Amino acid sequence: MFKGFTRFLHNQEEQVKTLLDPQESVATLSPRIIPRSEHPVSRQHISDAALKVLYRLNGAGFDAYLVGGCIRDALLGKMPKDFDVATNATPEQVRDLFRNSRLIGRRFRIVHVRFGREVIEVTTFRGKPQDEHGENIAHQSDAGLLLRDNVWGSIEEDAVRRDFTVNALYYNIADFSLHDFANGAQDIESRTLRLIGDPATRYREDPVRMLRAVRFAAKLGFTIEPATEAPMYDLAPLLLQIPPARLFDEVLKMFMSGHGLTTFRLLSHYGLFGMLFPESEEAMADAAWAEKLIEFALANTDKRIAEDRPVTPAFLLAAFLWAPVAQRQAELESEGMPAIPALQTAAQEVVSRQLEHTSIPKRFGMPMRDIWELQTRLPLRRGKRAFQTREHPRFRAAYDLLLLREQAGEIPRGLGDWWTAFQQGDEHEQRRLLQKVGADPASQGDRRRKRRRKPSRSSE
Ligand code: ATP
Ligand code: MG
């Protein structure tokens, strides 16, 4: 870590110790100002687009700061991936300064300023929660509110409404100093995640903060400090009140960022995973392979992300929900329903119950069902079937899931190897493999027709 920065922190240590006493009113926080010479965040960490936004706001007489993950990541020596700007300009004033901008959000109105593919999110300092809900705010700001009006808020109020201390560091474009309102610099130094204020209260205000704690702990390798950690076990069920669309956004952030496996283990530890995927959690209690399958799928996804290879949420969702779907399919089959309709019915039922917890956009839901249905088709290889299955647009993902199912011990190994060989083999080899299938009664493609002719065998 930057030498001057570390020295600065140690000098400040005594003074800041009292700052985060949960009993203390967070509203009294005042910033430690860390001058440019004593912290490592440089303009090289900041994208040209973000700098343009900051300079233009500042040039127009407004305060302009970078805040949140970008400063946290820069202090950790990582290149920030996106930039959040906080300012005392109202959303309308921001919009008027940037032609390439648009107002979004109703409850929290923010401005997106677009530069090519990069979007800079600009938020106006927020005040006390009650200020944000009522008609008041929209009405008054439409009428052109003055800066520093109570409707919005001061930077101090904005800081205490943020979640973790390490997310409440502000970089001031006017003099390149850092404003640390909640001892976040110290917590970055000791790699600690600590909620600002009383943890239970902050989780009740917004239960998604529990998921954010886990996500940041996994991504940054930080420790969730005891007081921040303690209420999660009891408060996990509060997540059931969060709209499914918001939870789905969090699911994507948690599992598609390269640290999915660690995130999953932490979620399970705090009882949070079951609030997101209750049927997967139940299936894991019934069958050891179900948990292994999810772990393997996540390890796989993390590895692909590390190697910069493409990943799709559809595959992960298919793996998360596979055990409940497979269990229900087996039940329906034992009641006499043929395999494919049983799978489709099971998928329908499991997905519709899952949608009460997390939404699943159609662009992921359709491929997810295809991946499941192909699990029933992959064993059927006779005649032209293997070639048809091979051509299916989801074949590759379905084959990957098949390998994981074998690895997890749900089904015996063998079919995966066959498909590996079939994909790699030339025409001659493929013909040989198909002949092998013909000789193997367990892998016959016309199982269903046979069953129909001899209904008495259908319970085999
Ligand atoms: P990353 O972008 O790397 O996921 P981030 O910390 O920037 O991490 P964002 O979701 O982009 O996360 O949010 C930006 C900032 O907004 C946060 O750093 C935090 O200060 C504040 N914030 C976001 N969500 C919440 C929340 N639920 N409660 C309080 N503050 C929040
Ligand atoms: Mg961010």
Side-chain angles (χ1 to χ4, degrees):
M1 179 143 316
F2 190 71
K3 245 201 193 146
F5 181 56
T6 310
R7 199 168 49 238
F8 174 87
L9 291 175
H10 290 155
N11 292 343
Q12 299 290 310
E13 210 163 357
E14 282 316 303
Q15 294 176 47
V16 294
K17 260 190 190 143
T18 54
L19 260 179
L20 283 157
D21 179 349
Q23 302 308 316
E24 188 188 12
S25 163
V26 288
T28 63
L29 294 186
S30 60
R32 308 281 147 189
I33 296 177
I34 309 177
R36 173 63 190 97
S37 58
E38 291 175 12
H39 71 73
V41 180
S42 94
R43 271 164 290 169
Q44 277 164 10
H45 288 110
I46 306 169
S47 74
D48 291 345
L51 285 172
K52 260 187 217 159
V53 171
L54 292 165
Y55 281 130
R56 190 172 307 170
L57 282 166
N58 201 234
F62 298 109
D63 296 339
Y65 296 83
L66 279 180
V67 63
C70 56
I71 298 305
R72 181 194 68 218
D73 290 349
L75 283 172
L76 288 167
K78 298 183 194 202
M79 226 27 217
K81 61 174 173 47
D82 56 34
F83 297 89
D84 297 311
V85 170
T87 178
N88 59 354
T90 64
E92 289 77 12
Q93 287 168 325
V94 176
R95 191 195 46 202
D96 291 348
L97 277 176
F98 300 94
R99 273 197 314 145
N100 47 338
S101 66
R102 85 198 165 89
L103 270 165
I104 61 159
R106 243 187 280 157
R107 204 182 130 203
F108 297 122
R109 283 185 313 146
I110 58 181
V111 183
H112 275 179
V113 186
R114 182 177 286 280
F115 295 89
R117 291 171 67 194
E118 190 175 352
V119 174
I120 306 297
E121 208 167 280
V122 185
T123 52
T124 303
F125 296 146
R126 289 168 190 168
K128 297 189 193 82
Q130 62 266 32
D131 289 337
E132 276 166 357
H133 296 293
E135 300 268 309
N136 234 0
I137 194 164
H139 177 72
Q140 292 188 27
S141 57
D142 283 350
L145 271 189
L146 292 174
L147 291 178
R148 297 178 195 280
D149 189 288
N150 281 336
V151 171
W152 292 106
S154 62
I155 187 170
E156 289 82 4
E157 286 172 311
D158 188 82
V160 297
R161 301 209 46 239
R162 292 186 180 268
D163 48 8
F164 300 96
T165 61
V166 296
N167 285 346
L169 285 149
Y170 295 69
Y171 172 88
N172 187 0
I173 198 63
D175 61 3
F176 315 122
S177 62
L178 280 186
H179 292 218
D180 182 358
F181 289 89
N183 201 16
Q186 189 75 50
D187 282 339
I188 285 181
E189 176 85 347
S190 63
R191 308 181 85 79
T192 304
L193 271 178
R194 188 191 312 273
L195 273 171
I196 297 172
D198 173 57
T201 309
R202 300 306 310 278
Y203 289 138
R204 284 182 205 282
E205 271 170 24
D206 182 4
V208 170
R209 289 174 184 147
M210 292 185 273
L211 301 181
R212 289 175 60 84
V214 163
R215 176 159 70 88
F216 293 132
K219 173 179 144 175
L220 307 170
F222 278 26
T223 306
I224 307 175
E225 62 92 28
T228 297
E229 181 179 49
M232 287 208 272
Y233 302 95
D234 286 341
L235 298 183
L238 293 178
L239 281 173
L240 298 173
Q241 303 164 3
I242 303 296
R246 185 165 178 219
L247 288 185
F248 184 73
D249 288 347
E250 287 302 318
V251 162
L252 282 190
K253 287 189 207 166
M254 288 190 289
F255 295 116
M256 304 303 287
S257 66
H259 304 275
L261 182 55
T262 312
T263 304
F264 169 71
R265 289 181 175 161
L266 286 171
L267 287 175
S268 301
H269 173 80
Y270 294 115
L272 295 164
F273 186 74
M275 302 301 147
L276 299 169
F277 295 96
E279 294 194 26
S280 311
E281 172 119 317
E282 273 171 44
M284 288 194 290
D286 290 351
W289 63 262
E291 180 168 3
K292 284 197 195 141
L293 179 68
I294 294 179
E295 293 221 334
F296 288 143
L298 286 165
N300 220 320
T301 300
D302 289 347
K303 185 161 174 281
R304 290 180 72 100
I305 292 171
E307 293 165 354
D308 251 337
R309 286 154 70 202
V311 288
T312 160
F315 176 75
L316 260 191
L317 291 168
F320 279 14
L321 295 170
W322 171 249
V325 169
Q327 284 170 359
R328 184 67 184 129
Q329 181 190 20
E331 261 171 41
L332 291 167
E333 279 193 89
S334 73
E335 290 162 13
M337 198 185 277
I340 299 272
L343 183 278
Q344 289 166 342
T345 307
Q348 180 62 37
E349 290 177 9
V350 170
V351 171
S352 70
R353 288 192 296 262
Q354 178 60 32
L355 292 178
E356 291 170 23
H357 298 273
T358 67
S359 57
I360 301 178
K362 278 214 175 60
R363 66 183 185 286
F364 304 134
M366 302 293 280
M368 180 180 75
R369 285 165 206 257
D370 286 347
I371 292 168
W372 289 337
E373 194 168 317
L374 281 165
Q375 301 309 306
T376 298
R377 297 193 187 278
L378 282 166
L380 316 177
R381 292 157 288 169
R382 293 177 87 196
K384 292 203 178 89
R385 288 182 179 214
F387 291 101
Q388 285 166 348
T389 299
R390 175 78 186 82
E391 291 311 308
H392 194 288
R394 308 290 165 215
F395 168 78
R396 186 68 209 194
Y399 160 76
D400 286 344
L401 182 61
L402 173 70
L403 294 183
L404 297 185
R405 292 172 60 207
E406 291 188 355
Q407 212 185 331
E410 181 203 358
I411 48 173
R413 284 180 192 248
L415 186 56
D417 288 340
W418 188 92
W419 276 106
T420 308
F422 188 76
Q423 289 172 81
Q424 290 165 354
D426 56 15
E427 235 174 274
H428 175 74
E429 172 66 1
Q430 289 184 336
R431 223 174 305 127
R432 197 188 65 79
L433 284 161
L434 285 170
Q435 274 164 8
K436 226 167 87 185
V437 172
D440 174 6
S443 48
Q444 283 178 10
D446 48 3
R447 199 173 45 144
R448 219 164 43 136
R449 235 182 303 140
K450 270 197 187 153
R451 278 189 180 178
R452 278 209 188 130
R453 257 184 270 132
K454 297 183 183 174
S456 61
R457 294 183 60 201
S458 66
S459 61
E460 265 173 23

